[in-house]
Amino acid sequence: MLARIRHKHYIILLVSSCVLIYLIYNTLKYDIVTSDRSVVLVTGAAGLVGSHLCEELLKRNYIVYGLDNLSTGQIRNINWLNSLRDFYFVNRDVTDKWEDGFTRLDEIYHMASPASPKAYFKDPIGTYRANTIGTESMIELAGRHSARLLFASSSEVYGDPLTHPQTEIYWGNVNPYGPRACYDESKRMGETLCFIAQQLYGTEIRIARIFNTFGPRMHPEDGRVISNFIMNGIKGDDIFIYGDGMKTRSFMYISDLVDGLIRLMASNNSSPINLGNPYEEHNVLKVAKIIQELLAERGIARTRINYIQALQDDPTKRKPDISKAEELLDWRPTVSFEDGLRKTIDYFIELYK
Ligand SMILES: NC(=O)c1ccc[n+]([C@@H]2O[C@H](COP(=O)([O-])OP(=O)(O)OC[C@H]3O[C@@H](n4cnc5c(N)ncnc54)[C@H](O)[C@@H]3O)[C@@H](O)[C@H]2O)c1
Ligand SMILES: *[C@@H]1O[C@H](CO)[C@@H](O)[C@H](O)[C@H]1NC(C)=O
Ligand SMILES: *[C@@H]1O[C@H](CO)[C@@H](O)[C@H](O)[C@H]1NC(C)=O
């Protein structure tokens, strides 16, 4: 009787020590994995910029959390990342209160916001909330984890600019009472919230004033010049130009922007900085013609160009001065407009095959 009880005790002791050793091993293993690697949160991860940013950060050995509520973004942009180790998709609204479970968080890229005029005309409330309440919520998150926060601002903070090209010290010419204000003014407010957080709480903030960016994974229906023209061609429609086609834009390819954002995050510069491509300024008619050519090279018969009425408050001209980024980040765009367009056109053709 006595011997049998002892025997049972030994087994329990053995089993529980095994369990204990296993548990200790596991926590150690977890600590080893997480403690020496940076953890980053990218909001707006399913969008154009967010998805390319996540991809590049994974290549650079970060553990990446991608947050998105899939409003203007597309799940196909990040579906394939989900199968990779070290990527975690967080499906939520950036403006919701969040009892986050991070044990470590080093960097936050706050990119979540409707970004094309078509998207923010349709959702002005969602737009100003993402850039104001969403930014406030990311400031709080950064504060809880002593993380560095990069806010995606926009060249739209310059409004319809009265100086060319725009440097960061230009305060802008924004109409607060018009259809674009929900975007322009909330980007300005987002910058202000970052400034306040830095002054009051010492939050480490970075502000990127992003100019027109394009590339694969743009939403085909976002209504922006490039996706519009390419989709017009692919669908066999005319290429529709708003206005007379003489407004100029400068266009940056997505990989150049991602490189600039990562450099900015790593830098010591907390004041706003322009990221754009001043070398590739074209009027809209020229853009239509280049796209027409590239489509024709790919067997999409010559599409015709047509004109419709211009949008309200659409700036006539905008071009970044990037001296500050060149000096402080040693950054400048390297991808030509046509090379970027080829990749983008091939992406859309593949999608609609
Ligand atoms: N692409 C450009 O030319 C450009 C220019 C200037 C600034 N920006 C800024 O860069 C950021 C990214 O732009 P993009 O071109 O990738 O746009 P996008 O629309 O492709 O991506 C934005 C993403 O944010 C998500 N999102 C929007 N509101 C959200 C919310 N409340 N909660 C969670 N997710 C939300 C959308 O679903 C989408 O996936 C935006 O902040 C935009 O304002 C972009
Ligand atoms: C997602 O984001 C958009 C734009 O910021 C917002 O209007 C919408 O309410 C959000 N939807 C959900 C379901 O969270
Ligand atoms: C940022 O500042 C720190 C301390 O002042 C310095 O060690 C570091 O090299 C700087 N980083 C860059 C990218 O300039």
Side-chain angles (χ1 to χ4, degrees):
M1 182 67 176
L2 203 64
R4 222 191 300 152
I5 288 170
R6 268 202 208 122
H7 185 63
K8 210 160 101 190
H9 283 168
Y10 277 129
I11 288 179
I12 290 171
L13 199 67
L14 194 69
V15 169
S16 42
S17 15
C18 284
V19 168
L20 200 67
I21 288 170
Y22 177 76
L23 286 178
I24 290 172
Y25 167 77
N26 250 333
T27 36
L28 281 180
K29 196 177 70 173
Y30 185 68
D31 271 341
I32 290 162
V33 170
T34 54
S35 63
D36 62 343
R37 292 184 52 200
S38 299
V39 179
V40 59
L41 172 69
V42 176
T43 76
L48 166 68
V49 181
S51 66
H52 286 275
L53 186 58
C54 288
E55 187 183 350
E56 185 58 32
L57 290 167
L58 285 164
K59 281 190 198 143
R60 298 186 188 209
N61 205 31
Y62 279 83
I63 295 171
V64 180
Y65 287 80
L67 180 150
D68 206 291
N69 81 351
L70 300 175
S71 49
T72 59
Q74 307 167 93
I75 190 72
R76 66 169 170 247
N77 288 349
I78 46 163
N79 249 346
W80 62 283
L81 288 178
N82 258 325
S83 62
L84 301 180
R85 245 184 63 224
D86 303 332
F87 181 79
Y88 305 93
F89 178 48
V90 185
N91 188 344
R92 53 180 298 129
D93 188 326
V94 73
T95 63
D96 285 347
K97 277 260 165 273
W98 192 11
E99 302 289 331
D100 72 285
F102 289 108
T103 50
R104 170 180 179 165
L105 184 61
D106 300 276
E107 296 173 0
I108 303 170
Y109 289 86
H110 178 33
M111 320 301 294
S113 163
S116 69
K118 185 178 165 188
Y120 53 77
F121 292 163
K122 205 167 75 188
D123 184 13
I125 295 177
T127 301
Y128 79 68
R129 285 178 56 94
N131 290 305
T132 54
I133 299 169
T135 302
E136 184 182 73
S137 137
M138 289 304 109
I139 287 170
E140 282 167 13
L141 184 63
R144 287 202 289 279
H145 299 281
S146 306
R148 194 175 274 190
L149 171 65
L150 185 150
F151 173 58
S153 183
S154 168
S155 55
E156 298 281 346
V157 300
Y158 300 124
D160 195 352
L162 303 175
T163 66
H164 295 281
Q166 292 84 49
T167 60
E168 291 84 350
I169 54 173
Y170 180 53
W171 288 350
N173 178 36
V174 176
N175 175 6
Y177 189 80
R180 309 176 82 93
C182 60
Y183 186 75
D184 303 8
E185 295 290 17
S186 69
K187 287 295 186 190
R188 292 169 68 92
M189 188 70 215
E191 290 193 11
T192 307
L193 293 174
C194 290
F195 177 79
I196 294 172
Q198 183 189 42
Q199 299 296 306
L200 292 189
Y201 320 130
T203 313
E204 285 201 59
I205 55 126
R206 303 287 179 263
I207 293 170
R209 290 187 179 153
I210 302 168
F211 286 65
N212 264 347
T213 304
F214 71 101
R217 302 189 199 143
M218 291 177 93
H219 198 294
E221 246 100 74
D222 66 5
R224 290 191 243 203
V225 172
I226 289 181
S227 48
N228 263 2
F229 290 175
I230 299 175
M231 287 308 296
N232 287 156
I234 289 179
K235 287 189 193 151
D237 293 341
D238 290 353
I239 290 181
F240 287 106
I241 293 179
Y242 291 94
D244 60 5
M246 291 301 122
K247 293 190 170 180
T248 69
R249 289 287 180 274
S250 60
F251 297 95
M252 171 166 54
Y253 187 65
I254 182 66
S255 58
D256 283 330
L257 173 60
V258 166
D259 179 43
L261 291 173
I262 293 176
R263 281 171 192 256
L264 173 58
M265 183 66 104
S267 77
N268 285 338
N269 171 64
S270 61
S271 58
I273 198 154
N274 289 341
L275 296 176
N277 188 335
Y279 320 123
E280 296 283 3
E281 187 187 15
H282 304 285
N283 68 45
V284 175
L285 179 59
K286 167 118 178 280
V287 174
K289 288 189 166 153
I290 298 175
I291 290 180
Q292 203 178 31
E293 286 301 324
L294 292 175
L295 285 170
E297 270 174 28
R298 284 156 181 74
I300 295 174
R302 268 189 167 278
T303 30
R304 285 187 312 150
I305 293 175
N306 230 320
Y307 298 86
I308 49 182
Q309 209 197 335
L311 298 176
Q312 189 189 338
D313 293 346
D314 196 18
T316 48
K317 187 176 156 127
R318 201 153 41 202
K319 179 178 172 174
D321 180 317
I322 59 164
S323 332
K324 193 172 170 185
E326 283 182 316
E327 191 193 319
L328 296 180
L329 312 180
D330 189 24
W331 172 88
R332 68 194 54 76
T334 60
V335 182
S336 75
F337 186 44
E338 294 204 10
D339 282 350
L341 273 181
R342 284 194 186 89
K343 293 194 178 116
T344 312
I345 290 177
D346 289 342
Y347 165 82
F348 278 118
I349 290 180
E350 185 64 31
L351 209 58
Y352 287 89
K353 224 165 40 191

